[in-house]
Amino acid sequence: MNTRIVITGIGLISAIGKGRRETLEYLLQEKTGVSSIRLLPTKQKELPVGEVPYSNEQLADLASWDINQPITRSALMGIIAAREALQQATLMQGHTKNMAFLNGTTVGGMDITETFYRDEKNKYSFLPFHETGACTTEIANALGGFKYQTTISTACSSALNAVIRGTELLQKGEYKQVLVGGTECLTRFHLNGFRSLMILDSQPCRPFSNDRNGLNLGEGAAYLVLETEQSALERGVEPLAYIAGYGNRSDAYHQTASSPDGEGAYLAMSDAVSMAKVSVSEVDYINAHGTATANNDQSEAMAIKRLFGENKPLVSSTKAFTGHTTSASGSIELAICVLCMQGGFVPANLNMNEQMPESDTLNIAKHTIKTKLRYVLCNAFAFGGNDSSVLLSSEPADLPLLKEIKRAKVVSDKMASDEADIKQYMSAMEARRLSKSMQQLYVVAMEAIKESGLKPTDIDAIICGTRFGCIDYSLQILDAILTSDESDLKPTLFMQSTHNTPASMLAIKTKNHAYNCTYSHCEKSFQDAKQDALDKIQTGMINNALVVGYDEQCEKWQDLMKNSGSEYQPQIRAIVIL
Amino acid sequence: MENLKQQLKEQIISALNLDDLQPSDIQDDAPLFGEGLGLDSIDALELIMLLDKQYGIKIADPKEGKHIFASVSTMADYIMAHSAK
């Protein structure tokens, strides 16, 4: 009976410190880690960020990594945070071989790509590091290797989705312990990308404040050891907190904007709370996504108001401490929630000058509040409207028992065709931003759904496997940034550059609010996506799933891969499983 | 002024990938957002970039775009009043 899933170790690194103790000090002293850019080689020095205050050499030292071996900054931070989590859970080197590792990242090795992409002498040197799966593998190998490893890449909800998937694997009884979380370093790629969307504040960010004017980016990593309560008991390890519920839903509204009523956020939080079978009045604290953009905070406030009504849990966003650590934010903030539950306090929502009208009914914690915390909700929302929420409990809490109750069956399996005609599905106006590959994906997905006898809105899960994501736009972004001295980047490119763009596009165009996830782990991306669908269907969590494989035609990338001696076979495919 | 509007329509079509439209499909005074052409927040950002690249006009606050980009006419008026080139 694996209905009780506990957290037995946490480790983190961010702008507010390396490790639990330093992080706790910053939080309790209400001391921000956001300041001017010191390390990232960018022209955009006027933008405040939450930078981890160690150079790559210093990080390598902390990670006991030989700096002569190239490695991404995300992986270095990941190794440091993961070791701390494993140590707290008293899982020694060698033990990881029986565990699963689920890592959330989107940037992957983009820092190395930026350095070598236009270096004619070393133009292939970045290729082994570029993909998100490579970052996960670097961390996994440094920790001694895992029985299973994968990468979830759903932009800013990646790490929280890794927590959710890891929890499910424990519920199913496949593992006794899993390591889950995410890592993301600052890059010129996404700093300029967010800048092109005009949502970066040139001042320290002010979540939920009426004068908020955008977010500050941050970087960092955090991992949690999750295990079955039974395993923790057997090993004599004290649970730090229990996973009481979780939810992931699609806002199905826009690639970069949240819906005004926060539908996806509302559904995700609602799923998490109802899975735990607790009343909304029992939730003590919400660690909000709270990026401090006009749009997110308005939308999230609406969603919280809708779900909690007159019950007013304390709310704060810790992004004014850490900056928005994008793919890592979910696990960094979940780890912060655990620290708060243990320390008996709600962290401050820094820089709140004047409460915004939309949040007048929210109980925002402007300063640290000492209080006992029983149920704590942690939100992470992402581009594409990928909204996730995890509910923690300080006392034993039961999750639904997951056991196989049926066999799943693939009922349609289709490959995209070059002749795909999007016009039968949407107007030219609606299709104008979709690349040819994205149009092919939409058409093949609709054909697969049609053959299954379902309607697009009947689909219970949209899961994508992609090795390189939106590689064509990503290369165009790199070219734009690196040739224009970081001045010239089209927002239309950046809004469609994350790995979860294809799965989100399908949800948005079909108004599907169901579970939405993207796996990006080397050659087995599609396989891992399909396994997620199979697990959910076979345990009766859902009735069906659309699984797509997406690796696009891109001449430049295909040439690079071929000339470097690597394999790349673009393929767009859609299957429906019942 | 008429030349500027015609040029603007061509630039809008190109910047926003409105490949199926002809400049003559866009009325001078028809709303570009909402009920009119149906553009969204990302298009507004693209138009801000267009003003910067083509006319040397910088808009720091995307909220300002709402009035400037109401229609091709309002855009042309704004360019006439602020153009640095």
Side-chain angles (χ1 to χ4, degrees), chain A residues 294-344:
Chain A
N295 176 239
N296 175 82
D297 293 7
Q298 182 276 333
S299 175
E300 188 171 14
M302 285 305 293
I304 293 172
K305 271 206 284 197
R306 281 171 68 196
L307 183 62
F308 290 88
E310 287 310 300
N311 300 291
K312 295 180 187 172
L314 284 159
V315 175
S316 69
S317 160
T318 44
K319 287 195 171 60
F321 281 98
T322 59
H324 185 1
T325 56
T326 53
S327 291
S329 67
S331 57
I332 287 178
E333 287 160 31
L334 196 67
I336 285 175
C337 286
V338 176
L339 291 176
C340 292
M341 291 166 88
Q342 297 220 296

